[in-house]
Amino acid sequence: MIPSLVSQKAIQKAIDLAKKVAITDTTVLLTGETGTGKEVFAHAIHQERQKSFVAINCSAFSKDLLESEMFGHKAGAFTGATKDQKGLFEEANHGTIFLDEIGEMALDLQAKLLRVLEAGEFIRVGDSKPTKVDVRIIAATNRDLQLEIEKGSFRSDLFYRISVFQIHLPPLRERLNDIEQLAKHFLLSFSLKTNKQVASINSDYFETLKQHTWKGNIRELKNVIERSVILCDNVLNASYLPVEMQLPVKETKTGKTLSAFDLASAEKLHIQKVLNYTGGNKTRAAELLNIALTTLYRKISEYGLDS
Ligand SMILES: Nc1ncnc2c1ncn2[C@@H]1O[C@H](COP(=O)(O)OP(=O)(O)O)[C@@H](O)[C@H]1O
Ligand SMILES: [Mg+2]
């Protein structure tokens, strides 16, 4: 099957699952690479409820601080704890807590989280008695938690408890058909934000977007489009994209991969631009480049250019 068709199904499946689970209280685990929209989905799943939504990134705190952030503490629990402090679970009571990067949570905290899931209670840092909460949990991770279980860094009992309803968000490179639509959405929003009118968009712009690997997924696309809108004066074409995107960094015939900063990268890019300009006419391209036709052929082969 064509990859784009497979992926269209994948994102549609994720949307359908999110709609179904939104009207329930079920714990949800969102998986997918960074920037694929896990937080956007978490908000969407919560939205049906109009109650508090509290988000916490588990990778942003040291272990002790994370425990105190999540569960709160009693006065005198540690140096600096001058008064009782509610944690985010209590803030989110009757609403949703979004635990981002749950794969980064320390093992003993994972045990405490499991207790919340199973008994609806936790113990504030420095307290002796449990506190009850009724909170819907949405967790997210870009890690393969099964692998983390094998490595001993994630509890399998917690995994089975949070993965009852798992939604996987596909990477952008597998959503080729959506790239153009997302790009247009961001173009419009950044045009409005910067008060700029982009008159038209050349097809090479979207083509180049579709060829990129998008390791940062939708977040990266959003940044790239913002940059284009800032730079563009009228017609948007591929030259407004970051240099390293304008030509996929392919292996050269010598087996060397060019980085975007190599001088050869600039030469490769320039030759490709001239070839595009001449519509593939190599004699004309060699003239414009002021090099011999044989040299041009050698460089085309060396850099693996499209001609
Ligand atoms: N479907 C979407 N439509 C528009 N913007 C999106 C969409 N999905 C993600 N984004 C944007 O992409 C960026 C990354 O999304 P986020 O949910 O934070 O990803 P993740 O949590 O998987 O890293 C955010 O700026 C978000 O607003
Ligand atoms: Mg995120």
Side-chain angles (χ1 to χ4, degrees):
M1 217 186 295
I2 313 165
S4 57
L5 288 180
V6 174
S7 57
Q8 282 249 306
K9 274 192 187 157
I11 192 67
Q12 196 51 53
K13 189 175 156 203
I15 293 167
D16 292 346
L17 286 173
K19 280 184 180 159
K20 284 194 176 123
V21 83
I23 51 170
T24 74
D25 280 337
T26 309
T27 304
V28 180
L29 177 63
L30 296 163
T31 58
E33 292 176 14
T34 182
T36 47
K38 297 186 291 297
E39 189 152 357
V40 168
F41 263 68
H43 274 283
I45 290 168
H46 165 78
Q47 220 168 46
E48 305 281 326
R49 320 180 106 225
Q50 307 295 321
K51 292 181 185 147
S52 58
F53 179 94
V54 174
I56 181 162
N57 187 330
C58 303
S59 71
F61 299 92
S62 68
K63 192 196 97 191
D64 292 340
L65 208 53
L66 181 60
E67 176 167 4
S68 161
E69 283 290 316
M70 280 168 51
F71 302 132
H73 59 253
K74 292 289 283 180
F78 47 84
T79 326
T82 50
K83 51 182 191 327
D84 287 5
Q85 174 76 48
K86 268 190 190 176
L88 295 177
F89 266 92
E90 279 173 89
E91 296 285 338
N93 205 7
H94 306 302
T96 304
I97 193 162
F98 175 53
L99 301 172
D100 203 359
E101 312 282 4
I102 197 171
E104 316 299 312
M105 190 181 282
L107 282 166
D108 54 346
L109 257 188
Q110 291 175 25
K112 292 174 182 175
L113 177 61
L114 185 63
R115 181 169 176 187
V116 181
L117 281 156
E118 290 187 333
E121 62 179 36
F122 60 86
I123 298 178
R124 284 185 183 182
V125 179
D127 205 349
S128 50
K129 55 182 196 319
T131 303
K132 289 268 179 203
V133 274
D134 163 30
V135 175
R136 197 252 184 97
I137 296 174
I138 303 180
T141 184
N142 55 17
R143 290 189 183 235
D144 178 346
L145 291 183
Q146 301 271 20
L147 207 68
E148 299 302 316
I149 292 171
E150 279 167 36
K151 285 198 285 184
S153 55
F154 205 83
R155 294 181 64 110
S156 57
D157 48 7
L158 178 61
F159 175 73
Y160 294 121
R161 191 64 188 69
I162 61 170
S163 63
V164 193
F165 204 97
Q166 190 170 336
I167 303 179
H168 180 69
L169 300 182
L172 190 56
R173 80 188 77 83
E174 288 177 13
R175 297 177 59 186
L176 290 184
N177 291 343
D178 296 334
I179 288 180
E180 188 162 329
Q181 200 192 343
L182 279 163
K184 283 180 176 161
H185 163 78
F186 292 133
L187 276 168
L188 186 67
S189 78
F190 286 120
S191 302
L192 290 170
K193 199 170 150 190
T194 54
N195 235 333
K196 266 195 168 182
Q197 290 286 325
V198 175
S200 64
I201 304 159
N202 283 356
S203 60
D204 67 335
Y205 186 81
F206 289 124
E207 278 317 305
T208 311
L209 291 183
K210 284 178 190 169
Q211 276 167 30
H212 189 57
T213 45
W214 300 114
K215 290 206 176 80
N217 295 292
I218 303 178
R219 182 176 293 111
E220 184 185 0
L221 177 68
K222 195 172 169 181
N223 292 340
V224 162
I225 303 289
E226 181 172 19
R227 177 186 190 275
S228 295
V229 173
I230 291 168
L231 296 176
C232 179
D233 291 318
N234 193 12
V235 178
L236 205 53
N237 58 48
S239 73
Y240 290 102
L241 293 169
V243 161
E244 61 276 17
M245 274 183 63
Q246 293 185 29
L247 270 184
V249 184
K250 291 183 198 162
E251 290 245 317
T252 60
K253 279 278 156 65
T254 52
K256 211 180 113 204
T257 303
L258 295 178
S259 105
F261 298 106
D262 283 347
L263 190 57
S265 235
E267 181 178 76
K268 177 178 169 179
L269 186 64
H270 183 63
I271 295 173
Q272 184 69 66
K273 277 186 177 169
V274 174
L275 279 167
N276 292 347
Y277 177 74
T278 64
N281 183 331
K282 294 179 196 64
T283 311
R284 178 88 183 104
E287 270 170 28
L288 290 171
L289 288 161
N290 205 12
I291 56 175
L293 187 58
T294 49
T295 310
L296 178 61
Y297 272 107
R298 182 169 50 76
K299 288 187 186 289
I300 287 172
S301 148
E302 195 178 310
Y303 292 139
L305 291 169
D306 301 320
S307 57

